[in-house]
Amino acid sequence: MVHHSGSIQSFKQQKGMHTSISEILKEKSLKPSRRSLPCLAQSQTHPINLNHFLSVPLTPEPNAEVEGLSQSISNSCSLLPPQTEDGKDQCVEESEVTPCETRAEETFPLQKPVTRVKLEARPNSIQRKNPARSSGLFFREGKKRIDYILVYKKSSPQVEKRCTFEKNLRAEGLMLEKEPSLTNNDIMFVKVHAPWETLCKYAEQMNIRMPFRKKCYFTDWKSKTLGSRFHLRCRQIKSWLPRNPMKLDKEALPDLEDTDCYTAPFSRARMHHFTINNRGTFFSNSTRSRIVHHVLQRTKYEEGKSKMGIIRLLGNNTYEAAFPPHEGGYKSRHPIKTHGAQNHRHLLYERWARWGIWYKYQPLDLIRRYFGEKIGLYFAWLGWYTGMLIPAALVGVFVFLYGLFTMDSSQVSKEICEANTTIMCPMCEDTCEPWKLSDSCVYAKVTHLFDNGGTVFFAIFMAIWATVFLEFWKRRRAELTYDWDLIDWEEEEEELRPQFEAKYSRVERVNPISGKPEPFQPFSDKLSRLMVSVSGIFFMISLVLTAVFAVVVFRLIAMEKFASLNWYFVKKNWQFATSGTGVCINFMIIMSLNVVYEKVAYLLTNLEHPRTDSEWENSFSLKMFLFQFVNLNSSTFYIAFFLGRFAGRPGKYNKLFNRWRLEECHPSGCLIDLCLQMGVIMFFKQIWNNFMELGYPLLQNWWSRRKMKKRGGGGQNVENKAQLPQWDKDWNLQPMNAHGLVDEYLEMVLQFGFTTIFVAAFPLAPLLALLNNIIEIRLDAYKFVTQWRRPMPARATDIGIWHGILEGIGVLAVITNAFVIAITSDYIPRFVYAFKYGPCRDKGYHHDDECLQGYMNSSLSVFDIREMKNDSQFRYCRYRDYRAPPWSSGPYEFTLQFWHVLAARLAFIIVFEHLVYGIKSFIAYLIPDMPKGLCDRMRREKYLMQEMMYEAELEHLQKERKKNGRRYHHEWP
């Protein structure tokens, strides 16, 4: 330890810190710097108005608290409540507080807060008229903060379970207070508060990491010499540049300061190590709610191994709801710039959920502090995905503009538009007539917008982009888990699901982690249920294929009807009419089947009886992704790889049920059909999802308020909604989706698939995804802040199963884009013609206008129309294929050009896949999952933490020596 002490002292000398413990002891309490303010437990960096919401005085007042506790009323529910006249068991509804809160040791280093002087300067009358205490955030006495809300109906028959549960909650150290609803006489609220001693007890059990010392950053001699000058020059140059408008103003949002403290698992035995400036705010609101939820999950309501937990009580309707309360309203009469934020919810609304700041970065630290790390990681991933879409959207727009500017000069489009004498074979055999190739001039020009020379480049770019996106997200996630103190966090052992326990309670096995017996599912039973679930999945996939087949039949019928219609406009543009109507009907089928798939996935997942909630969520997420991915992309795969491939030739067309001729591609290719399919589905699906995410909760909340006004609330007459306490306001909001963030992730992952899998056919897909995500972030923010009850703050270190799904989509995107370029588009046939059959075959490749002359005539075969119709005025007609003419020795056989094109397509697929996979693997190898600077910081902090823990223990021993007057023969216990 001598070497370490010397190193830490030299480090402190570099940083201007104290060099000995004695100097620390002699030093008076200093005013903390701006950077160290977030370390203080009482949130001194809050706006001024946030100090109104402090639950206890800034300095400990043991006498007042003990007197308040002694005067509180303790009244618990009895197991055998008295009978009322109507024969129903009722509990005594009185305010009760259990005197469980005890003071800590007097030797705790309580620092003097900075804002104490400001608050003492305020009149006492202002503190008495604290609006937070009357807004439903505290108990009636105005000091104890509400950490959780339980809601039940007075008419519920589960009285005995509820009373036993609440009695056991009091035994665990929680304080309860009941309050009737002002809007419904049948609703009763149970306010739950966790006192200091209970918070400390369970924080130690849950290994919650808390701050104990300000961070010290190491700077070597290089940063003092070269680095200081370089950084000074950079700061000067940066001060001349205009301020980034996307950054949030940290002066207006002091809560966004990064936490600058070392943390360690909380321990009551080493409580003197931690920075406990104010007990009321040492544990944040989200941490307090998480601790209370932990207690609620492990409290029994009946005798028995599985008779515990608030989840089971919600399932059997003992309670109607359980949720942590919001921290007040999200709107204020006064502007936030002049009066500050009233609470964190108001701050989130003003600086995150409002539409006026759509271009700003997200306050991720504040989101994590209010909603927890799991929701914070979702919005961090969504923001990262949206930011990475910007370069993809720009490149896609450039590719589209290149096609737009070269549309009129394209040799293929010119030949089609000038082919006034080229007669095409009729689209149907009975009522259709031959048509001129020049009639599809517009169709050919629109096709060139998406099928041009930039298609291959863009497909390779998007494949690499998907890899870069995922690899850099790993680095971003590592930084977030470090900043949010999740590096050493290990997910605690999950509880078994009630359904699993009820099903397999007879068979038990010792848990290898906890060492306790628990229900066990035999392998044979698990395998049989899994087989049934897989069979259900295949059945639903076959249902999707049946729906796609129905759409194909509709397209065949519509093709003949539109081609023989008397309406000239529709007859001339029968390709657009067929594709457009088919896509719209397909979209309606997709949205209808999605409702069925969700219920089937829920049924199959419950049939499997997953062991824990995380296993249930992963299984449900995978089923929902498979169902919706197949449902959304099956028709797209048909158009990309099957449309026009098996149509046959004139005189020998392949027919479905010997009735309808199979659909064939336009002479300029099938890519425009694929582009139309993707554009329509992507556009309308995003509009529908946004409506269901925000419009549906708005309608539900409006309808509940309307019913409350219509019936007069069923309780007391409340004229203004602002007069309702916070628990009543939260009760009238919609609960968060029962599936958690599954729907949110599913929507974005499906969009990621649309953006990457068929991006070669639709380069504007990243742009549409970017515009949608900009709206999606604010929609989700508005929904979480204003329309939903506050979810239980949960912890997580990654996005779960969705990361593996994204990697699988990235691999599939390389294969599909290779096939789209090689098979669906006309890039390979044009390439083969230019080098083998065009005018440039002997002098090299120069320019499209020169090398592609005569391409359309080469790609169209000749058919003797009299073999099909004797009364036709034309002798020959043309069709899209590489076949010999009828006057050759082998009529209608494939030509040599057909085999050259086929070989080139197969070669392109192999080369493209290996090249792109090689580039992806090389990039993934070059980009480490964790930045080197972060690794160095983590190792440095681990070393400094050991030194600081040693010095803190040494300081505590010196204090004990002075206090007791004893001498110790050793410095370390």
Coordinates of all heavy atoms in Angstrom, one line a residue, residues 389-403 449-450 454 457-458 461-462 759 762-767:
L389 N -29.3 7.2 -40.2 CA -30.0 7.2 -41.4 C -29.8 8.5 -42.2 O -30.1 8.5 -43.4 CB -31.5 7.2 -41.1 CG -32.1 5.8 -40.8 CD1 -33.6 5.9 -40.3 CD2 -32.0 4.9 -42.0
I390 N -29.2 9.5 -41.6 CA -28.9 10.8 -42.4 C -28.0 10.5 -43.6 O -28.3 10.9 -44.7 CB -28.4 11.8 -41.4 CG1 -29.5 12.2 -40.4 CG2 -28.0 13.1 -42.2 CD1 -29.0 13.2 -39.4
P391 N -26.8 9.9 -43.4 CA -25.9 9.7 -44.6 C -26.6 8.7 -45.6 O -26.4 8.9 -46.8 CB -24.7 9.1 -44.0 CG -25.0 8.6 -42.6 CD -26.1 9.5 -42.1
A392 N -27.3 7.7 -45.1 CA -28.0 6.8 -46.0 C -29.0 7.5 -46.8 O -29.2 7.2 -48.0 CB -28.6 5.6 -45.2
A393 N -29.8 8.4 -46.2 CA -30.8 9.1 -46.9 C -30.2 10.1 -47.9 O -30.7 10.2 -49.0 CB -31.7 9.9 -45.9
L394 N -29.1 10.7 -47.6 CA -28.4 11.6 -48.5 C -27.9 10.9 -49.7 O -28.1 11.3 -50.9 CB -27.3 12.3 -47.8 CG -27.7 13.4 -46.7 CD1 -26.4 13.9 -46.1 CD2 -28.5 14.5 -47.4
V395 N -27.3 9.7 -49.5 CA -26.8 8.9 -50.7 C -28.0 8.4 -51.5 O -27.9 8.4 -52.7 CB -25.9 7.8 -50.2 CG1 -25.5 6.9 -51.3 CG2 -24.7 8.3 -49.4
G396 N -29.1 8.0 -50.9 CA -30.2 7.6 -51.6 C -30.8 8.7 -52.4 O -31.3 8.4 -53.6
V397 N -30.9 9.9 -51.9 CA -31.4 11.0 -52.6 C -30.5 11.3 -53.8 O -31.0 11.6 -54.9 CB -31.6 12.2 -51.7 CG1 -31.9 13.5 -52.5 CG2 -32.7 12.0 -50.7
F398 N -29.2 11.2 -53.6 CA -28.3 11.5 -54.8 C -28.5 10.5 -55.9 O -28.4 10.8 -57.1 CB -26.8 11.5 -54.2 CG -26.5 12.7 -53.4 CD1 -25.5 12.6 -52.4 CD2 -27.1 13.9 -53.6 CE1 -25.2 13.7 -51.6 CE2 -26.8 15.0 -52.9 CZ -25.8 14.9 -51.9
V399 N -28.6 9.2 -55.5 CA -28.9 8.2 -56.5 C -30.2 8.4 -57.2 O -30.3 8.3 -58.5 CB -28.9 6.8 -55.8 CG1 -29.4 5.7 -56.8 CG2 -27.5 6.4 -55.3
F400 N -31.2 8.8 -56.5 CA -32.5 9.2 -57.1 C -32.4 10.4 -58.1 O -32.9 10.4 -59.2 CB -33.5 9.4 -56.1 CG -34.9 9.8 -56.6 CD1 -35.8 8.9 -57.1 CD2 -35.3 11.2 -56.6 CE1 -37.0 9.3 -57.6 CE2 -36.5 11.5 -57.1 CZ -37.4 10.6 -57.6
L401 N -31.6 11.4 -57.6 CA -31.5 12.6 -58.5 C -30.6 12.3 -59.7 O -30.9 12.8 -60.8 CB -30.8 13.7 -57.6 CG -31.6 14.3 -56.5 CD1 -30.8 15.4 -55.7 CD2 -32.9 14.9 -57.1
Y402 N -29.7 11.4 -59.5 CA -28.9 10.9 -60.7 C -29.8 10.3 -61.8 O -29.7 10.6 -63.0 CB -27.8 10.0 -60.3 CG -27.1 9.3 -61.5 CD1 -26.2 9.9 -62.2 CD2 -27.5 8.0 -61.8 CE1 -25.6 9.3 -63.3 CE2 -26.8 7.3 -62.8 CZ -25.9 8.0 -63.6 OH -25.3 7.4 -64.6
G403 N -30.7 9.4 -61.3 CA -31.7 8.9 -62.2 C -32.6 9.9 -62.8 O -33.1 9.8 -64.0
L449 N -35.6 6.0 -62.9 CA -35.4 6.7 -61.7 C -34.7 5.7 -60.6 O -33.9 6.2 -59.8 CB -36.7 7.3 -61.1 CG -37.3 8.4 -61.9 CD1 -38.6 8.8 -61.3 CD2 -36.3 9.6 -62.0
F450 N -35.1 4.5 -60.7 CA -34.7 3.5 -59.6 C -33.8 2.4 -60.2 O -33.2 1.7 -59.4 CB -35.9 2.9 -59.0 CG -36.9 3.9 -58.4 CD1 -38.0 4.2 -59.1 CD2 -36.7 4.5 -57.2 CE1 -38.9 5.1 -58.7 CE2 -37.6 5.5 -56.7 CZ -38.7 5.8 -57.5
G454 N -26.4 3.8 -60.5 CA -26.1 4.0 -59.1 C -26.7 2.9 -58.2 O -26.5 2.9 -57.0
F457 N -24.0 0.5 -56.7 CA -23.2 1.3 -55.6 C -24.0 1.5 -54.4 O -23.5 1.3 -53.3 CB -22.8 2.6 -56.2 CG -22.4 3.6 -55.2 CD1 -21.2 3.5 -54.5 CD2 -23.2 4.7 -54.8 CE1 -20.8 4.4 -53.5 CE2 -22.9 5.6 -53.8 CZ -21.6 5.4 -53.2
F458 N -25.3 1.8 -54.5 CA -26.1 2.1 -53.3 C -26.4 0.8 -52.6 O -26.5 0.8 -51.3 CB -27.4 2.7 -53.8 CG -28.3 3.2 -52.6 CD1 -27.7 4.2 -51.7 CD2 -29.5 2.8 -52.4 CE1 -28.5 4.6 -50.7 CE2 -30.3 3.3 -51.4 CZ -29.8 4.2 -50.5
F461 N -23.3 0.1 -50.6 CA -23.2 1.1 -49.6 C -24.1 0.8 -48.4 O -23.7 0.9 -47.2 CB -23.5 2.5 -50.1 CG -23.7 3.6 -49.1 CD1 -22.5 4.2 -48.6 CD2 -24.9 3.9 -48.6 CE1 -22.6 5.2 -47.6 CE2 -25.0 4.9 -47.6 CZ -23.9 5.5 -47.1
M462 N -25.4 0.4 -48.7 CA -26.3 0.1 -47.6 C -25.9 -1.2 -46.9 O -26.2 -1.3 -45.6 CB -27.7 0.0 -48.2 CG -28.3 1.3 -48.6 SD -28.4 2.5 -47.3 CE -29.5 1.7 -46.1
V759 N -33.4 -2.3 -50.6 CA -33.1 -0.9 -50.8 C -32.6 -0.7 -52.2 O -32.6 0.5 -52.7 CB -32.0 -0.5 -49.8 CG1 -30.6 -1.1 -50.1 CG2 -31.9 1.0 -49.7
F762 N -35.5 0.6 -54.1 CA -36.2 1.8 -53.7 C -35.2 2.7 -52.9 O -35.1 2.6 -51.6 CB -37.4 1.5 -52.8 CG -38.3 2.6 -52.5 CD1 -38.7 3.5 -53.5 CD2 -38.7 2.8 -51.2 CE1 -39.5 4.5 -53.2 CE2 -39.5 3.9 -50.9 CZ -39.9 4.8 -51.9
P763 N -34.3 3.5 -53.5 CA -33.3 4.2 -52.8 C -33.9 5.3 -51.9 O -33.1 5.9 -51.1 CB -32.5 4.8 -54.0 CG -33.3 4.8 -55.1 CD -34.2 3.6 -55.0
L764 N -35.1 5.7 -52.0 CA -35.7 6.7 -51.2 C -36.2 6.1 -49.8 O -36.7 6.8 -49.0 CB -36.9 7.3 -51.9 CG -36.6 8.2 -53.1 CD1 -37.8 8.8 -53.7 CD2 -35.6 9.3 -52.7
A765 N -36.0 4.8 -49.6 CA -36.5 4.1 -48.4 C -35.8 4.7 -47.2 O -36.4 5.0 -46.1 CB -36.3 2.6 -48.4
P766 N -34.5 5.0 -47.2 CA -33.8 5.6 -46.0 C -34.4 7.0 -45.7 O -34.5 7.4 -44.5 CB -32.4 5.6 -46.4 CG -32.2 4.5 -47.3 CD -33.4 4.5 -48.1
L767 N -34.7 7.8 -46.8 CA -35.3 9.1 -46.5 C -36.6 9.0 -45.8 O -36.9 9.8 -44.9 CB -35.4 9.8 -47.9 CG -36.0 11.2 -47.8 CD1 -35.2 12.1 -46.9 CD2 -36.2 11.8 -49.2

